[in-house]
Amino acid sequence: MVHEREAHRTCGPIMPQGGLQATEVMLYTVDIINSLNIMPKGLNIGVYILDDCDTDTYGLQQAVDFIKGSISNINDEDEYKCEDGSSPQIQNKVISGVVGASSSVTSIQVANLLKLFKIPQISFFSTSVCLAVKLKLTKDSGVADSKFYDDIVKELQMKSKAKGVIVFGSDQEVAELMKAVKRNNATGQFSWIGSDGWSARALVFEGHEAEVEGTISVQPQANPVHGFEDYFLNLTVESNKRNPWFVEFWEDHFECRHTQGLETPYNIGYKRICNGKERLTRENTKFEAQLQFVSDAVMAFAYALRRMHEVTCGLNYVGLCAKMNPIDGEILLGYLRKVNFVGLSGDRFKFNEQGDGPARYNIIHYKQIEVGVYKWVTVGFF
């Protein structure tokens, strides 16, 4: 996802950390892979990035683009028209693998589609499975209004013995839940046990510190991707033409209108024009803590493709041999399961027998360390 979910639109505002930064770390990792010649001689790895806007139904719709190259009878020429009325010649590329989505619900939906066409998928932020729960935070962007969350809180209040509440959800969903807790005067009534999808996310706790206080949760252990922060801080709209969403991020970050930006529902309130002197700095930029997992996912595909090429085409073969054109996703999956490498964070990465990445977690607690000052504190590891 690059944008947040929005109740009455297909996509909401730009998501600076888990969205835009995740996109950039993917591009950065691809640059490193190609510059270090991790791929076989004569081959580079590339990306085709789509935005699911943190919505499972829209994400599934977007994922259809990934399979078009695997279906010979899909014709997009009638769907798109040039300015002169003619139809463009469109060649749908065969996708070798998919990285994402970030949410578990969307990942499961997309996986159900991709498996029909044997396209392997690595979901970098998804760590939970669908659970049968009575109070389920909806993923339908057209349903989750404030009344929905108010009803959840009121139902919890009716359960006199309900003190501890386990919440599986995204930061956007739980932010709405905490707003409902405040509206319904339920602050302090419940102790929250959070999933890693929302704990330690500013969207949840900023402005709702008292409601979130006391939360116990887990966070996957992650280290910074070497070189990425310097790369990101040196980006500008003028230098970053390959990311179509970067100008939108720039406007959101500096609260100004850029001459290269399109009008959106989220920038029409900015009266100031960006003057070209704005720069990203460590002081004005917060970095997503789990970007390592995005980078590791991309690296895993690169190492799997390299090993597959060595075995299928031969060690000294330059370019893509006929046996790998197109790439067999089922065979590639076998090589993915066997990757073992040191990623750009310096940590070793490999999948376990269940196909999961390394299980390293911090146990964290949100507490008031002094009057009016709240902080996430690490209280354990596993």
Side-chain angles (χ1 to χ4, degrees), residues 113-258:
L113 174 66
L114 297 180
K115 70 180 181 182
L116 299 176
F117 301 90
K118 299 180 180 179
I119 300 175
Q121 172 191 8
I122 301 176
S123 185
F124 45 84
F125 284 160
S126 303
T127 56
S128 63
V129 296
C130 287
L131 302 177
V133 292
K134 293 182 180 178
L135 298 178
K136 185 177 180 181
L137 300 184
T138 181
K139 295 292 288 188
D140 185 344
S141 60
V143 175
D145 54 15
S146 59
K147 182 180 182 301
F148 177 86
Y149 293 96
D150 286 339
D151 289 344
I152 289 179
V153 175
K154 290 174 182 177
E155 188 165 345
L156 286 171
Q157 289 176 313
M158 292 173 61
K159 301 179 184 295
S160 59
K161 295 183 179 180
K163 300 300 179 184
V165 182
I166 302 174
V167 182
F168 289 91
S170 71
D171 51 357
Q172 296 174 69
E173 294 162 338
V174 181
E176 293 301 319
L177 179 64
M178 293 304 161
K179 291 177 184 178
V181 169
K182 190 172 186 177
R183 283 195 301 269
N184 290 276
N185 299 316
T187 302
Q189 291 184 20
F190 307 106
S191 296
W192 309 105
I193 299 176
S195 66
D196 61 295
W198 64 270
S199 61
R201 296 294 178 93
L203 183 63
V204 176
F205 64 81
E206 286 186 350
H208 301 95
E209 289 82 358
E211 286 70 42
V212 182
E213 183 183 6
T215 296
I216 293 288
S217 187
V218 295
Q219 275 286 297
Q221 293 179 17
N223 289 306
V225 176
H226 295 327
F228 174 71
E229 291 188 6
D230 289 336
Y231 157 84
F232 188 81
L233 294 175
N234 281 294
L235 292 175
T236 65
V237 174
E238 290 71 28
S239 68
N240 190 14
K241 299 296 185 183
R242 65 180 177 179
N243 186 340
W245 300 291
F246 193 78
V247 64
E248 197 175 341
F249 158 77
W250 196 266
E251 291 180 326
D252 175 77
H253 190 81
F254 293 107
E255 298 184 350
C256 61
R257 291 290 300 273
H258 198 283

Side-chain angles (χ1 to χ4, degrees), residues 97-111:
V98 173
V99 174
S102 56
S103 75
S104 297
V105 175
T106 305
S107 292
I108 292 171
Q109 293 272 29
V110 172

Side-chain angles (χ1 to χ4, degrees), residues 75-78 80 88-92:
N75 182 9
D76 278 337
E77 293 183 6
D78 294 332
Y80 303 103
Q89 291 185 345
I90 298 175
Q91 182 179 2
N92 291 309

Side-chain angles (χ1 to χ4, degrees), residues 236 238 250 254 272-281:
T236 65
E238 290 71 28
W250 196 266
F254 293 107
R272 185 175 71 87
I273 301 298
C274 303
N275 58 24
K277 297 180 180 180
E278 297 86 5
R279 289 295 181 270
L280 298 172
T281 66

